[in-house]
Amino acid sequence: MNDIETRDRVIAAADRLFYLRGIQAVSMDQLRAEAGIPLKRIYAEFPSKEAIVEAVLRHRTRIWAEGVQDATDRAADTRGKLLAVYDFLDRWFETSDFRGCVFINSFGELGATSPSIARIVREQKASFQRYVADLVAEAGGPESLAPQLALLAEGAQTTAAISGDPSAATHARAAAETLIDAALPALVP
């Protein structure tokens, strides 16, 4: 197994375990067993557990960005692109392994003690906000609409995770429709 395959296996195993159980609840021995790779080899690729968490968060950043991009690309019009974010959330919340936002979860566990984890999480959240801002600008909407729509998406993730109720995406979408219709009456269907 080459270095890239080793890294990928460790990241995939860590992603599963951290998301299911929480970062601090997973020992390096559990990660070793899940990945099927000796600890010595894991530490040759990642100098610390924190480095593994950072790699998992970068991996999840790509997955999130691709998922949102795919959802918005499939939308038929500008209004549909703005609402596609919530449709993406709805599909995600309905999955059997949904445990909330990995970035929020990681920040909650390690944000106060790990500046690098806090930085990665903040970068991901800022990137999502910029993406929504670009969609709003494309629609000709006011700048103030973008953070409102992003907050609805973030709040839906937290609400769905805590309540166990995936309908948070549906409620956030309905609120987003109200905001979009008020800010962009020309886009009302």
Side-chain angles (χ1 to χ4, degrees):
M1 180 179 318
N2 67 37
D3 292 349
I4 293 171
E5 291 169 332
T6 298
R7 287 183 66 81
D8 289 348
R9 278 181 65 176
V10 171
I11 291 168
D15 186 22
R16 282 189 303 277
L17 290 174
F18 294 165
Y19 191 61
L20 179 64
R21 300 181 190 162
I23 298 163
Q24 296 180 62
V26 175
S27 71
M28 289 302 292
D29 280 334
Q30 291 169 323
L31 179 56
R32 174 199 50 77
E34 180 79 9
I37 296 174
L39 276 177
K40 185 176 181 180
R41 182 80 169 112
I42 291 173
Y43 280 117
E45 293 299 321
F46 301 95
S48 65
K49 186 176 181 182
E50 185 172 352
I52 297 169
V53 175
E54 291 170 2
V56 167
L57 292 176
R58 287 188 192 98
H59 169 73
R60 283 288 184 125
T61 296
R62 285 188 301 277
I63 290 171
W64 170 265
E66 289 168 5
V68 171
Q69 179 79 50
D70 181 57
T72 58
D73 284 350
R74 286 187 278 122
D77 57 24
T78 307
R79 185 175 189 276
K81 287 182 181 211
L82 293 168
L83 295 172
V85 171
Y86 306 95
D87 299 333
F88 168 75
L89 294 177
D90 185 54
R91 288 187 298 277
W92 177 35
F93 296 173
E94 291 287 345
T95 61
S96 62
D97 65 344
F98 175 72
R99 302 284 185 278
C101 174
V102 71
F103 303 100
I104 294 170
N105 297 348
S106 299
F107 190 84
E109 278 196 70
L110 301 173
T113 59
S114 173
S116 65
I117 300 300
R119 179 183 43 76
I120 292 169
V121 170
R122 287 182 179 120
E123 287 171 359
Q124 188 277 332
K125 295 302 179 187
S127 175
F128 175 62
Q129 290 174 4
R130 283 191 304 274
Y131 186 78
V132 174
D134 289 345
L135 291 175
V136 168
E138 181 183 319
E143 286 183 26
S144 61
L145 180 60
Q148 294 168 355
L149 295 176
L151 282 170
L152 282 173
E154 297 292 353
Q157 292 173 67
T158 303
T159 300
I162 292 170
S163 70
D165 182 1
S167 70
T170 303
H171 297 302
R173 188 183 198 283
E177 286 182 282
T178 300
L179 290 170
I180 292 165
D181 293 348
L184 300 162
L187 295 180
V188 174

